[in-house]
Amino acid sequence: MNDAERRLWAAFPTGAQVVLGDDLPLGPQPDRIVRGEIIAQLLLGAGSTVPGAVAAVRLKGAYVIGQIDLGGGNVEPELRLEFCRLVEEPDLSNTQSRQLRMSDCWMPGFDGGGLRADGYLSLSGSVVEGTVRLPRAQLSGGLRMNGTKITSPSPDEWALFSGGLVVEVGCFARNAEITGGMRLVGARMNGGLYMEGATLRNPGRLALDAQSMVVEDAAEFSQGFTAYGTVRLRNARFNGIVSFSKAVLDSTDPDRMALHASHMTADELLLWPSERIKGRVSLSYSRVQVLMDHPEIWPDRLYLNGLIYETLRGGELRDRMSWINRDPEFHLQPYEQLATWFHSVGHDDLARKVQLAKMRARRRKLNIIGRGWNQLLDWTVGYGYRPWLAFAWFGFLMAVGTLVFSIHQPGPVKPPEELPKFHALIYSLDLLIPIDTFGQQQSFDPDGWSRWIAYGLVSSGWVLATALIAGTARVLRPN
């Protein structure tokens, strides 16, 4: 043993801290070298203990050569490394331990697959030039990576890789810098996920893959959180708020998803980044109780088919119309959902406008005959959502008929004693109504050019009546 190792061995029984330096060693200085096997031996029970004291490895400013191999071991003492440089990746795979703290250290990777820690695992302030592996890890005291910098060894490898990770108390990665992508598929964060100010870099790929993740309390991707690449929250469940307030979402490729949050469940989604989202966003088939966003942040392509929400906050009607029209493909459900929400908050007039917009958007997908008929329904009765249009047309046509037949009175077709007194207004009304109501149409017959006006009024009356019936039926039975 060298002098540094002897000091560590002597301090172990009482858990005293051994300070070899107050900064991160840049090279293998002889007075700061500690072998990883010595640290492993102490943690696995080789060192003596003192009654009334808690044994621990607490080391500051060491240059650790060799591997700290605790794989499969049962570690009772606490491990605390500060400002240490680890030449080899520590192996804590399938280890049962208490509290593990490696803060402000440098290491070429970290293997914690299957790790079970009764306390917390802390890598705060550390620089990891390699992959941090935490598949199947269970951390009862939480995970701390505040200010941690992780860089994946290659574009095809994750910076942080996990699957089935369980974190109690909370996962804190505030102001972390992760280059190469962060994988949290199937993770369970029972104390929340806090990534305020964190920066994830994986351009053209997944910056964060959190499919099927479950988060209790809050998920904070906010206050300067920045993702260059796709944030995938597909099928994730947030029993609380998930916030992108004052964040930056940039897929770095307009054809890629910036936020893929389909089939997601959340109590509240605060989607209000500090700038417009660059890339596509999908909220398809998600269920959100409260959705708060703003028109200034909406991307050009926004997928909302199947999204169900109870409350919307932010934006007026015209904004929400632009919101649902950003889907490249037409779907009925987003319009129905928005109309249902307007109706639920007492804005029936706005709900009708949404339904009308739905029919107009649907018209663009029909064949030429269908488009023609739907255009007629729109002009005449607004698909049944604006029935006053039919009365407006009716009044206009009746005024035209009254003027024409006042100037050019039709001739009688009955004997004088059977003729009612001619009245241009009543005659025009009789032509427009599809059934003979006042007897004028059967008593007088126009000739010359006015006959074509009469034919037009009769045809228009049938069209208006048919459109009104069809539009009303469409409103009452929208399916």
Side-chain angles (χ1 to χ4, degrees):
M1 287 188 187
N2 60 31
D3 182 63
E5 293 171 346
R6 282 192 291 269
R7 289 176 58 190
L8 177 61
W9 201 279
F12 172 76
T14 61
Q17 186 179 45
V18 176
V19 179
L20 302 178
D22 291 324
D23 59 353
L24 191 69
L26 299 178
Q29 297 151 267
D31 58 341
R32 297 173 72 170
I33 292 177
V34 176
R35 286 175 291 167
E37 62 182 276
I38 297 297
I39 296 175
Q41 288 173 11
L42 289 171
L43 293 173
L44 293 174
S48 60
T49 58
V50 176
V54 178
V57 172
R58 296 188 175 99
L59 190 58
K60 184 176 182 180
Y63 188 93
V64 182
I65 61 174
Q67 187 178 46
I68 301 176
D69 186 359
L70 302 172
N74 188 356
V75 177
E76 291 292 334
E78 175 191 3
L79 171 63
R80 179 183 296 181
L81 302 180
E82 298 179 69
F83 295 102
C84 293
R85 179 177 289 269
L86 284 66
V87 176
E88 295 188 28
E89 174 185 286
D91 183 2
L92 284 81
S93 59
N94 302 308
T95 299
Q96 178 74 45
S97 69
R98 294 191 178 180
Q99 191 159 287
L100 300 167
R101 180 176 177 180
M102 300 182 180
S103 58
D104 300 299
C105 294
W106 183 96
M107 63 191 78
F110 180 90
D111 189 356
L115 169 67
R116 293 171 180 252
D118 293 336
Y120 63 78
L121 169 63
S122 175
L123 299 175
S124 293
S126 292
V127 176
V128 183
E129 295 187 357
T131 299
V132 173
R133 288 181 287 275
L134 293 171
R136 309 177 315 281
Q138 297 183 30
L139 309 175
S140 299
L143 175 60
R144 303 178 185 179
M145 296 192 300
N146 297 320
T148 302
K149 296 182 180 180
I150 308 174
T151 304
S152 67
S154 73
D156 297 325
E157 297 185 56
W158 294 93
L160 188 148
F161 177 86
S162 74
L165 171 66
V166 178
V167 181
E168 306 290 346
V169 181
C171 178
F172 301 88
R174 294 182 174 119
N175 301 309
E177 295 183 22
I178 300 175
T179 303
M182 186 175 183
R183 186 181 189 271
L184 296 174
V185 174
R188 187 175 185 93
M189 306 294 181
N190 292 327
L193 175 61
Y194 304 93
M195 300 189 67
E196 297 97 323
T199 300
L200 310 183
R201 294 185 179 90
N202 204 14
R205 297 170 180 258
L206 289 170
L208 172 62
D209 189 0
Q211 289 192 86
S212 304
M213 179 174 67
V214 178
V215 179
E216 303 290 344
D217 194 12
E220 291 287 348
F221 305 103
S222 57
Q223 302 302 319
F225 172 87
T226 303
Y228 296 109
T230 300
V231 173
R232 183 158 64 183
L233 304 178
R234 190 179 189 276
N235 201 40
R237 186 168 77 247
F238 299 93
N239 297 322
I241 186 173
V242 51
S243 173
F244 289 93
S245 173
K246 298 181 180 179
V248 175
L249 297 173
D250 185 354
S251 68
T252 69
D253 182 348
D255 293 326
R256 287 185 61 88
M257 287 286 182
L259 176 62
H260 188 181
S262 66
H263 302 83
M264 180 187 72
T265 303
D267 291 346
E268 183 175 356
L269 172 60
L270 179 53
L271 188 57
W272 204 322
S274 58
E275 59 185 52
R276 189 183 185 198
I277 299 173
K278 298 179 178 66
R280 298 180 293 163
V281 171
S282 175
L283 298 175
S284 299
Y285 304 103
S286 292
R287 301 181 70 91
V288 179
Q289 292 186 24
V290 180
L291 172 59
M292 184 175 182
D293 58 5
H294 195 272
E296 293 178 358
I297 61 92
W298 295 337
D300 292 333
R301 284 180 285 181
L302 182 61
Y303 300 88
L304 299 172
N305 185 36
L307 172 65
I308 297 175
Y309 45 84
E310 295 182 8
T311 302
L312 284 177
R313 297 176 63 190
E316 302 297 332
L317 169 66
R318 60 181 180 181
D319 300 323
R320 291 300 171 188
M321 294 304 302
S322 172
W323 184 58
I324 58 177
N325 285 329
R326 289 171 186 263
D327 196 322
E329 299 181 4
F330 171 75
H331 298 284
L332 290 172
Q333 191 274 341
Y335 292 90
E336 295 290 350
Q337 175 65 37
L338 184 58
T340 299
W341 181 75
F342 276 128
H343 180 73
S344 69
V345 295
H347 291 293
D348 293 344
D349 55 332
L350 300 183
R352 286 192 294 270
K353 290 181 179 180
V354 173
Q355 294 283 14
L356 180 57
K358 175 192 69 176
M359 301 308 301
R360 288 172 173 170
R362 177 179 176 270
R363 184 172 69 213
R364 294 192 290 268
K365 305 296 181 181
L366 301 176
N367 57 38
I368 188 170
I369 297 176
R371 286 199 302 271
W373 171 244
N374 276 261
Q375 187 70 64
L376 180 62
L377 289 177
D378 192 2
W379 285 343
T380 52
V381 293
Y383 290 99
Y385 297 106
R386 303 169 73 185
W388 57 267
L389 279 176
F391 296 101
W393 279 108
F394 194 89
F396 171 74
L397 292 173
M398 194 163 63
V400 171
T402 301
L403 176 63
V404 168
F405 296 118
S406 296
I407 297 173
H408 196 280
Q409 182 174 330
V413 294
K414 291 183 179 181
E417 62 274 10
E418 298 180 8
L419 281 176
K421 183 178 179 181
F422 178 78
H423 195 292
L425 175 64
I426 302 302
Y427 183 71
S428 300
L429 184 61
D430 221 0
L431 292 175
L432 283 170
I433 297 176
I435 57 176
D436 184 22
T437 304
F438 302 105
Q440 294 271 314
Q441 184 179 356
Q442 300 297 325
S443 301
F444 299 94
D445 186 24
D447 58 359
W449 60 271
S450 64
R451 175 170 294 181
W452 294 104
I453 300 296
Y455 291 160
L457 292 178
V458 172
S459 301
S460 298
W462 278 103
V463 169
L464 285 174
T466 303
L468 186 61
I469 294 171
T472 303
R474 195 180 291 272
V475 171
L476 297 177
R477 300 180 63 187
N479 289 334

